[in-house]
Amino acid sequence: MSSVSESISGKVPNGATVVIGLQFGDEGKARVVDDLAAEHDIIARFNGGANAGHTIEHNGVKLALKQVPAGVFHEGKILYLGSGCVLNMVKLRTELESLKQAGIDVSDRFRISSQAGLIQPHHILLDTLIGGSVGTTRNGIGPAYADRALRMWGDRLLNIRVGDLLQDAEAVFALLQANLDAAKKMYGMGEELGRLVEGEIQAMREALPVIADFVEIDPLYVQKMADAGKRVLFEGAQAFMLDVNKGSVPYVTSSHTSAAAAYIGGDLPPSYHGRTVGVAKVIMSRVGHGPFVSEFGGARSEEYCMSLNADGSPVYGKAVEAGYDIEGLLRSDDDFEMSKAVRHLSGEYGTVTTRPRRVGAVDLVQLKTGVMANGVKELILTKCDLLNVYARTKNGKIPVVKEYRLDGKSIDFVPGSTALLKRVEPVFSWCEGFSEDISGVREAAGLPAALMAFVKEVEAFVGCRVVGLGVGPGREQYVSLK
Ligand code: IMP
């Protein structure tokens, strides 16, 4: 008797690779993508917009990229922004100019899906007005995705997409103004707020000629490339725990960040999937509000890190913490005090804002959830060189969370309800520490035994192979464990 199962085959020769962060962002994905780009032909973004950010060094030039995919330094590779992204034209123009200045030409290899959403001036204002309690990046990301779902307000189009600019740009600019005026009126936005986007529509008008040539009007572009044998690498922005649906809602971004989303926002059917690579930091961090179970110092840390001056600058920024007695804080019995030193030594500050990021122990319960939910088979652990800061703490060991407690009961998953998640208590345990500087190590044989034992413990707990370790910010500071 013939059956369905014997007539189908799941194998995908040269399937696409998806790289995603498994925690709260800033895991060091760009480095991984940059490295993997060499063996792929198209590097595609599938979600988010200018809220993402990566700094890459090239020939001594430091480039802060927000929207252009991380594989930009690989000559000849195609860079693609998928329909799942939201585009800030003005910021993209600046990025393209900085690339040009660094001698990087993307003119014949950068494509933007005409179905990507357009960040409109009123999105930025709305995000500034209402995004504070989430702690958004104020790039207008949430309002842009909200308008995508709202589609229209009466006869007025809200979901303006990049491709609309190719049809009648002046009509689009008039619509941007109408949407801005309507939002200002509806939300009672004052003049002061309005100044934030003064001149923005004109700046978009000026950016259009730079961007128009990159717009791809064929929604099957990536698929046709893949059919022609090109290998696709999807670069996730933000991270799994910030997924609009799966993360700690509402303290999340507004797009889907999970591996599956690559095939919606990246414009390729899921049957082209090859493998998912997860990236996680061994000292965790989070920006913005929201549950962070393994945070050192819990609620005190959140409040401290999120304290802002009237002008929006952080009260306890990088410069303030640099003046602290770091060694004294490290030895403190109080995790909150220790966290200030850990943050300082691991450089966990917003690259632009210098906002202190909330820091915590690696949370293996959460990591296992992310690994399972995204089908991750290969895991890369970053910032491993920084684990040696724990050698200078009171017990000298590496803290990890391997158990959650909810109402006194042990649970082995991240509750899907944020209300429950907020009540979860971490159970800390400790792995042997090490004090060696491993930033110069390139072979597994040169790594301390305590680090290898830690890696084995992670693998055993999360049920996934750790294939490599980041041992510093440089592209070459990587140790393969294969
Ligand atoms: P939004 O994406 O600007 O709406 O911000 C929503 C939440 O996601 C905030 O907590 C941000 O700090 C966080 N977030 C957005 N993008 C990133 C990122 O690239 N890395 C880390 N956190 C991010």
Side-chain angles (χ1 to χ4, degrees):
M1 199 178 75
S2 58
S3 67
V4 174
S5 56
E6 75 181 24
S7 57
I8 58 173
S9 145
K11 266 267 160 262
V12 186
N14 285 336
T17 304
V18 181
V19 175
I20 56 161
L22 292 172
Q23 296 157 331
F24 298 108
D26 309 309
E27 292 94 348
K29 298 177 291 286
R31 240 264 310 273
V32 172
V33 170
D34 187 34
D35 214 317
L36 283 173
E39 57 178 66
H40 293 79
D41 305 292
I42 307 177
I43 298 93
R45 288 260 317 255
F46 59 87
N47 73 306
N51 50 343
H54 42 257
T55 312
I56 320 186
E57 243 183 272
H58 181 69
N59 294 342
V61 184
K62 253 195 179 173
L63 286 174
L65 300 177
K66 288 178 164 291
Q67 297 175 101
V68 178
V72 66
F73 296 136
H74 295 261
E75 269 176 45
K77 305 288 177 185
I78 296 162
L79 309 169
Y80 182 76
L81 285 190
S83 63
C85 298
V86 282
L87 182 75
N88 183 317
M89 289 169 66
V90 178
K91 288 195 171 167
L92 180 63
R93 181 190 178 184
T94 310
E95 270 177 66
L96 292 172
E97 273 161 10
S98 68
L99 283 173
K100 214 175 198 174
Q101 274 165 18
I104 297 162
D105 184 16
V106 296
S107 53
D108 58 351
R109 60 189 180 99
F110 183 39
R111 309 306 294 154
I112 304 166
S113 164
S114 62
Q115 295 175 317
L118 202 62
I119 294 284
Q120 304 176 44
H122 76 281
H123 295 151
I124 297 167
L125 291 193
L126 263 177
D127 203 12
T128 308
L129 192 68
I130 61 177
S133 37
V134 171
T136 71
T137 62
R138 301 186 176 189
N139 273 289
I141 307 296
Y145 282 111
D147 272 356
R148 172 173 278 190
L150 276 176
R151 297 152 293 172
M152 293 190 90
W153 188 281
D155 288 338
R156 192 159 39 82
L157 181 67
L158 292 175
N159 180 20
I160 304 177
R161 303 193 294 174
V162 172
D164 296 336
L165 286 162
L166 302 182
Q167 188 60 30
D168 182 350
E170 279 311 316
V172 170
F173 295 131
L175 198 49
L176 294 179
Q177 187 65 55
N179 285 344
L180 177 59
D181 294 341
K184 277 183 174 173
K185 202 167 155 198
M186 176 181 288
Y187 295 94
M189 294 172 184
E191 257 178 51
E192 198 184 324
L193 186 63
R195 268 199 286 279
L196 265 184
V197 292
E198 224 168 53
E200 184 75 8
I201 295 177
Q202 182 54 25
M204 290 173 84
R205 190 179 273 113
E206 286 163 18
L208 181 59
V210 183
I211 285 153
D213 282 350
F214 298 125
V215 180
E216 176 53 61
I217 59 170
D218 182 358
L220 297 176
Y221 174 78
V222 177
Q223 189 167 356
K224 286 176 183 167
M225 287 284 186
D227 287 345
K230 306 279 187 211
R231 288 205 63 188
V232 182
L233 172 62
F234 286 117
E235 171 188 353
Q238 291 83 49
F240 181 60
M241 287 310 292
L242 294 174
D243 184 277
V244 65
N245 195 27
K246 310 270 183 189
S248 47
V249 175
Y251 306 102
V252 291
T253 190
S254 317
S255 65
H256 292 283
T257 58
S258 62
Y263 294 93
I264 301 175
D267 309 320
L268 196 65
S271 52
Y272 287 71
H273 184 60
R275 57 190 173 162
T276 306
V277 179
V279 187
K281 282 198 289 204
V282 289
I283 298 179
M284 285 176 62
S285 74
R286 172 167 201 168
V287 283
H289 291 289
F292 180 179
V293 176
S294 62
E295 181 170 14
F296 295 132
R300 282 159 76 206
S301 161
E302 179 175 356
E303 196 190 327
Y304 170 94
C305 291
M306 296 302 290
S307 303
L308 298 179
N309 295 308
D311 65 356
S313 62
V315 176
Y316 307 103
K318 192 174 179 173
V320 173
E321 292 204 325
Y324 292 168
D325 167 16
I326 300 299
E327 293 304 319
L329 289 174
L330 264 185
R331 283 190 303 276
S332 172
D333 282 328
D334 182 345
D335 277 359
F336 170 55
E337 296 302 329
M338 182 198 68
S339 74
K340 299 174 187 170
V342 170
R343 175 170 37 254
H344 174 76
L345 293 168
S346 54
E348 288 287 1
Y349 301 93
T351 25
V352 181
T353 59
T354 78
R355 262 202 316 195
R357 295 186 183 137
R358 302 156 60 194
V359 291
V362 65
D363 179 345
L364 297 186
V365 177
Q366 189 205 78
L367 191 55
K368 183 177 180 177
T369 301
V371 161
M372 288 181 74
N374 291 287
V376 173
K377 297 278 183 297
E378 288 157 306
L379 183 61
I380 291 171
L381 298 178
T382 57
K383 291 210 159 190
C384 294
D385 54 311
L386 296 169
L387 283 175
N388 66 0
V389 305
Y390 292 125
R392 283 135 67 190
T393 59
K394 206 114 200 209
N395 75 5
K397 296 185 175 180
I398 302 169
V400 292
V401 169
K402 294 201 287 188
E403 186 187 344
Y404 281 5
R405 290 206 154 251
L406 180 62
D407 299 333
K409 289 201 186 87
S410 174
I411 57 169
D412 65 351
F413 58 91
V414 181
S417 139
T418 303
L420 286 186
L421 184 55
K422 279 182 174 168
R423 281 178 27 218
V424 157
E425 286 172 37
V427 180
F428 286 92
S429 55
W430 282 267
C431 296
E432 271 322 301
F434 63 90
S435 56
E436 291 94 322
D437 173 5
I438 58 165
S439 58
V441 176
R442 298 292 174 268
E443 302 287 335
L447 294 170
L451 176 58
M452 292 313 290
F454 168 81
V455 168
K456 290 271 163 266
E457 189 132 1
V458 172
E459 285 184 325
F461 192 91
V462 304
C464 169
R465 261 187 56 77
V466 173
V467 295
L469 307 179
V471 293
R475 201 174 142 194
E476 71 299 341
Q477 288 178 294
Y478 182 77
V479 180
S480 169
L481 300 182
K482 268 226 153 137

